[in-house]
Amino acid sequence: MTRSQVVSSSSQGLPTGTTVVICLADAAAGASPLHPLNATLRLYLLQQLRAAEDNPAVTSLILTGGGPNFSAGADLTEFASLIPAAATTVPTPSDVGHHHPHAAPSLIDVVTAIEACRKPIVAAIDGVCLGGGCELALACHARVATARARLGLPEVHVGVIPGAGGTQRLPKLVGLRQALPMILQGSTVSAASALRMGLLDAIAPEATADSLRTTARQWAAYGEVLPTIRRTGDLQRPESPAEAHALLHVAELSLPPLGSHGMRAAIQALRASGTPIQHGMRVEATHFLETLAGPQGRARRHVFFATRRAQKVWSPVSNAVPTAGPRHGLWSKADAQSAVPVAVVGAGTMGSGIALVLLQAGFHVTLVDVHAPALAKGMEFLKRTLASMVQRRQLKPTQLTALEAKLRATSNLQELSQCLLVVEAVVEKLIVKQSIFATLDKVTPPTALLLSNTSTLDIDAMASAVSSRRRGLFAGWHFFSPAHRMKLVEIVRGSATSDDTTALLQALTKQIGKIGVVVGNCDGFCGNRMLKPYSAETVLLLTETQTTVAAQDYAIRGVYGMALGPFEMADLAGNDVGYNIRVERQWARRARDDPLPPNRPARYTELPDVMISDYGRLGQKVGKGWYDYDSNIGKGRKPLPSSEMDALIRRYLAPKPSPALVAAEIIERVLYPLINEGFKCLEESIVRQPSDIDVVYVYGYGWPVWRGGPMYAADHEIGLPRLLRTLRELSKQFPTTEHYVPSALLVECVARKVTVEEYYQKNYHTASTGSAMLSKL
């Protein structure tokens, strides 16, 4: 019976028949529990592997993470250093698997050495085994795992393809049919699925380190007695050439026309998986470097890092986690939240969606609405949604029972006396919200967080309704509709919101599975403030030019790549939302014979107001908006042409409208003012950094991730000089339109000849806006 031992400098005296354990966690004490495969870890692996292979006493090896995870893959921070070479280098056969003695080994060096090892190597997998970590496991001669392990190749999400044999070894091991979704969609598989598909050889009987190690030793011993080592790279792909060609051809035809550069490159690499591994690795390396240097890959990685930066818990002075004062009860982890009561006031679409999110996160949730029919409808939505999750096997029946036990309804705010967090999600009327918060201030514990889901209203005006001692615990928590599906939440700091409250909300937002971005307090905050000129200009184009609703939606969705066109998005969100905001701002008339509001913008059309007040075209929820919807077609979500809206638009069309705009002109007219407003948000310190705006728009408004977000697109796609020049031209054409007036920050960036990203990296903003940032954020 062999025994396990970790390779060390004293391993030369090992008894014959030793199984050596190489543990990723031993490479660097205190490193990430995800074990990113950086240069230090790669060098460690190669050294340990060579030491074990050269030691005659060692007969087999086990590769393990040594913690809760195997490895989450490559260290993405190293990618930037590869891009200059990627732009000019085409790998040759000698490049693959070759390690220069004075350079850090590549992951290709490591997996090549693992697969070529003369002694059997077993991967013992626990937790995540993703990307380069999965490629390490594929190069091993056998793979065992715990039941909680998850395996995958998610490189497509960061704009590259697997670059260390993933596109070659996975199809050889499990076949193209099963490899395609893992590589093209970046989907992960459970240990049970991986075993069925042949990616794993065994699952340990128990989900413990000892059980995993025992199972790995058994497979190592088995490998020692085999006449030959089973190397994944030597396997033949199970499909015939004709079947493989058909599978890849169908997969390529099914790719989206926009933003799929990485997936198309992956298919080209997958075609080579039917060839010898050396040739296939060379093809894969070529396409990996191509995607690494390509614009879509760069944009996707920008969003990846921007998301991390946005979620970093901070205080505006030190960027450190606030530590002053007692720990709030909401800091408890999910396993302790069964005793934490929270409430949502307002049982409409947003309120019930937020309640569902909090319920799934483990809280005891009380849904409140003074209107009995609305409360009943909200509870019915929650119960119906949870039941459908059981039908889709997203929940077990026992879990459903447990969740329903944590949910209750009431019409009485007085019953919230134990709640540590209350989210208000009622109609967008300031006076209504202030009344609710005044009551909550008296009813709830003095340490309870009071939060508003408002999308536009003044957080400070709402905070004025509560006592001064409570205002540090008051903030905006702006979910996006539908709340249980959309990932983004804006965390809105009022002038009195404390650093501890901000940090707590960042932690809670992450805990409930959302992406939180801290923003300052202004009309519309970040996202909706930028959306205002976008929405206004799309409607004005209908009345000032012959450009149609469908043409604008096609330009923004079909040409630029947004998830939805402007009118499709309005119908989905509900056109009454914007109408109510315009009424609150005193832009829209409630009745046709009311006098014209004095403070509405100079360029304004009543078209979207009349479609609500006179025609009731609220959107998908009532079957008609800018489009018509038929419940028998596309589940009532497919936009259909509307003769009623066509006639209404003609009523508001200018006597001599300009010709219809082409797609490029539409994009400039509606997206450039949106981006310009982003510069103004930065200028006023509504957000901390340009990348925060990109995160808001990618996750909240469907901006194509492969374009990186509005501020990234301004820097790297449009170019700031072109953006400024176009805005100035449009501002001359429409001198009364504020959203075409270029931001002072944009003008300064162009004058300095820097991108807005560089402007912040060089800390130019601290001189002019630093004090404002500290006061607002």
Side-chain angles (χ1 to χ4, degrees):
M1 185 73 179
T2 60
R3 67 188 187 89
S4 300
Q5 190 163 334
V6 177
V7 178
S8 68
S9 57
S10 61
S11 298
Q12 295 303 317
L14 295 176
T16 302
T18 294
T19 297
V20 162
V21 177
I22 301 176
C23 182
L24 302 182
D26 293 338
S32 167
L34 295 176
H35 307 136
L37 298 169
N38 54 30
T40 300
L41 183 49
R42 297 194 304 270
L43 181 60
Y44 171 82
L45 283 174
L46 210 53
Q47 290 171 340
Q48 296 293 293
L49 180 65
R50 287 169 176 168
E53 191 169 19
D54 292 342
N55 191 327
V58 175
T59 52
S60 58
L61 297 87
I62 294 172
L63 181 61
T64 186
N69 300 297
F70 186 74
S71 171
D75 183 347
L76 298 187
T77 61
E78 295 184 345
F79 277 17
S81 64
L82 300 176
I83 289 177
T88 57
T89 302
V90 177
T92 64
S94 60
D95 292 328
V96 179
H98 176 70
H99 169 52
H100 191 279
H102 301 297
S106 70
L107 190 56
I108 293 177
D109 297 328
V110 177
V111 297
T112 302
I114 288 173
E115 188 167 74
C117 184
R118 301 184 304 275
K119 300 169 183 178
I121 303 178
V122 178
I125 302 165
D126 197 5
V128 299
C129 177
L130 304 175
C134 188
E135 290 175 307
L136 275 183
L138 285 167
C140 292
H141 308 126
R143 287 150 294 280
V144 301
T146 63
R148 63 184 169 221
R150 294 200 67 84
L151 297 87
L153 294 169
E155 284 86 348
V156 66
H157 297 309
V158 290
V160 294
I161 68 170
T167 65
Q168 305 305 302
R169 292 189 177 91
L170 185 63
K172 291 176 182 288
L173 189 63
V174 305
L176 278 171
R177 194 179 301 276
Q178 298 182 110
L180 278 167
M182 291 183 68
I183 293 174
L184 297 186
Q185 300 166 22
S187 58
T188 61
V189 295
S190 65
S193 296
L195 182 65
R196 286 193 298 270
M197 66 196 295
L199 177 52
L200 288 178
D201 294 295
I203 295 177
E206 300 175 14
T208 64
D210 287 342
S211 181
L212 177 62
R213 193 72 60 90
T214 298
T215 305
R217 282 200 297 267
Q218 292 170 348
W219 279 84
Y222 176 62
E224 291 176 11
V225 300
L226 287 177
T228 58
I229 291 175
R230 180 180 184 243
R231 294 183 169 87
T232 309
D234 292 341
L235 300 176
Q236 294 297 312
R237 202 170 57 192
E239 296 88 1
S240 67
E243 184 183 3
H245 174 78
L247 285 170
L248 291 168
H249 182 65
V250 169
E252 190 165 24
L253 290 176
S254 67
L255 294 180
L258 300 174
S260 57
H261 177 251
M263 291 178 275
R264 294 181 190 280
I267 286 179
Q268 295 307 311
L270 284 164
R271 294 188 192 281
S273 62
T275 66
I277 187 68
Q278 294 83 0
H279 176 265
M281 290 282 286
R282 188 163 63 251
V283 172
E284 179 189 76
T286 299
H287 289 291
F288 171 80
L289 293 175
E290 175 194 340
T291 55
L292 180 69
Q296 291 185 15
R298 291 175 187 245
R300 286 180 183 272
R301 288 190 298 281
H302 164 77
V303 173
F304 176 84
F305 287 114
T307 305
R308 282 184 164 186
R309 284 194 298 273
Q311 295 180 95
K312 182 180 178 183
V313 177
W314 68 296
S315 73
V317 176
S318 64
N319 282 343
V321 177
T323 56
R327 297 282 284 182
H328 196 283
L330 286 166
W331 279 107
S332 60
K333 298 297 183 183
D335 57 2
Q337 283 174 353
S338 59
V340 178
V342 301
V344 179
V345 180
T349 302
M350 286 301 299
S352 55
I354 295 169
L356 179 60
V357 171
L358 293 171
L359 189 65
Q360 290 178 290
F363 293 100
H364 268 288
V365 179
T366 299
L367 186 62
V368 188
D369 204 301
V370 295
H371 301 288
L375 185 59
K377 186 176 180 180
M379 290 296 288
E380 194 275 332
F381 162 80
L382 288 169
K383 292 179 179 180
R384 183 179 69 249
T385 304
L386 291 171
S388 71
M389 292 173 69
V390 174
Q391 292 176 347
R392 297 194 302 269
R393 297 185 178 180
Q394 294 173 339
L395 280 179
K396 296 178 181 178
T398 54
Q399 292 174 312
L400 172 63
T401 302
L403 287 176
E404 288 181 333
K406 292 182 178 182
L407 176 65
R408 73 185 189 97
T410 182
S411 59
N412 188 357
L413 290 175
Q414 303 297 322
E415 295 185 23
L416 308 185
S417 60
Q418 301 301 313
C419 289
L420 293 180
L421 177 149
V422 181
V423 187
E424 167 275 313
V426 302
V427 65
E428 285 285 274
K429 292 186 181 296
L430 181 60
I431 191 170
V432 175
K433 293 176 185 286
Q434 287 175 324
S435 174
I436 289 170
F437 282 119
T439 302
L440 291 173
D441 185 39
K442 297 181 180 71
V443 170
T444 58
T447 59
L449 268 64
L450 299 184
L451 310 173
S452 175
N453 180 59
T454 180
S455 57
T456 58
L457 298 181
D458 188 340
I459 291 296
D460 289 335
M462 277 182 268
S464 69
V466 304
S467 57
S468 57
R469 62 178 171 77
R470 173 87 73 170
R471 290 174 191 170
L473 296 169
F474 194 99
W477 213 23
H478 176 211
F479 286 74
F480 283 66
S481 183
H484 58 296
R485 292 178 184 163
M486 295 293 286
K487 295 290 288 183
L488 181 72
V489 175
E490 285 182 319
I491 299 165
V492 189
R493 282 180 62 100
S495 59
T497 306
S498 73
D499 296 346
D500 281 340
T501 296
T502 304
L504 176 54
L505 283 176
Q506 286 183 283
L508 281 173
T509 303
K510 192 171 185 178
Q511 195 169 299
I512 63 175
K514 304 295 184 181
I515 294 169
V517 179
V518 178
V519 299
N521 181 32
C522 67
D523 184 8
F525 316 130
C526 173
N528 282 340
R529 171 177 170 169
M530 292 172 60
L531 193 68
K532 186 167 62 173
Y534 169 84
S535 301
E537 200 61 36
T538 56
V539 176
L540 288 167
L541 285 181
L542 294 178
T543 63
E544 297 175 349
T545 76
Q546 295 175 336
T547 311
T548 64
V549 166
Q552 290 193 61
D553 279 343
Y554 174 74
I556 300 302
R557 173 183 36 77
V559 176
Y560 194 76
M562 296 279 276
L564 293 171
F567 299 103
E568 294 167 336
M569 181 176 70
D571 277 357
L572 177 64
N575 296 302
D576 53 324
V577 175
Y579 173 72
N580 290 333
I581 291 171
R582 293 192 297 276
V583 168
E584 190 76 10
R585 289 174 177 154
Q586 297 184 347
W587 290 2
R589 292 187 290 181
R590 293 182 181 275
R592 198 72 72 84
D593 54 356
D594 286 350
L596 288 177
N599 62 339
R600 66 165 49 164
R603 279 177 76 220
Y604 189 88
T605 174
E606 292 190 326
L607 167 62
D609 301 337
V610 172
M611 69 179 283
I612 300 296
S613 61
D614 293 14
Y615 292 83
R617 301 187 69 91
L618 308 185
Q620 285 188 17
K621 56 189 173 185
V622 297
K624 60 180 184 177
W626 292 100
Y627 296 94
D628 286 341
Y629 299 89
D630 186 331
S631 59
N632 297 315
I633 302 176
K635 297 181 180 179
R637 296 173 186 168
K638 182 178 175 59
L640 303 171
S642 169
S643 57
E644 183 176 68
M645 275 308 300
D646 288 343
L648 182 60
I649 291 170
R650 283 195 297 271
R651 279 176 47 194
Y652 285 88
L653 190 63
K656 294 182 179 180
S658 300
L661 303 185
V662 299
E665 293 172 317
I666 293 170
I667 289 167
E668 287 187 351
R669 288 282 292 271
V670 302
L671 289 185
Y672 283 19
L674 179 151
I675 294 170
N676 188 40
E677 200 65 32
F679 276 90
K680 293 177 183 179
C681 285
L682 287 165
E683 194 179 308
E684 299 170 23
S685 299
I686 298 303
V687 289
R688 294 176 289 171
Q689 53 206 351
S691 60
D692 284 356
I693 295 175
D694 294 331
V695 174
V696 166
Y697 263 80
V698 166
Y699 291 105
Y701 296 89
W703 194 282
V705 64
W706 49 273
R707 290 191 188 273
M711 308 316 290
Y712 183 89
D715 279 344
H716 300 283
E717 186 177 281
I718 300 168
L720 301 193
R722 176 187 167 192
L723 176 63
L724 177 59
R725 184 172 60 252
T726 306
L727 286 170
R728 281 174 169 164
E729 291 170 356
L730 290 168
S731 190
K732 287 179 182 178
Q733 185 178 350
F734 303 101
T736 62
T737 302
E738 178 63 28
H739 58 240
Y740 282 136
V741 177
S743 156
L745 174 59
L746 171 59
V747 173
E748 185 178 351
C749 286
V750 173
R752 288 181 180 270
K753 298 182 179 180
V754 296
T755 65
V756 69
E757 182 180 19
E758 290 168 338
Y759 186 89
Y760 274 73
Q761 288 173 345
K762 295 176 185 292
N763 290 320
Y764 291 144
H765 64 291
T766 56
S768 57
T769 63
S771 59
M773 178 176 292
L774 291 180
S775 65
K776 291 188 178 183
L777 293 183

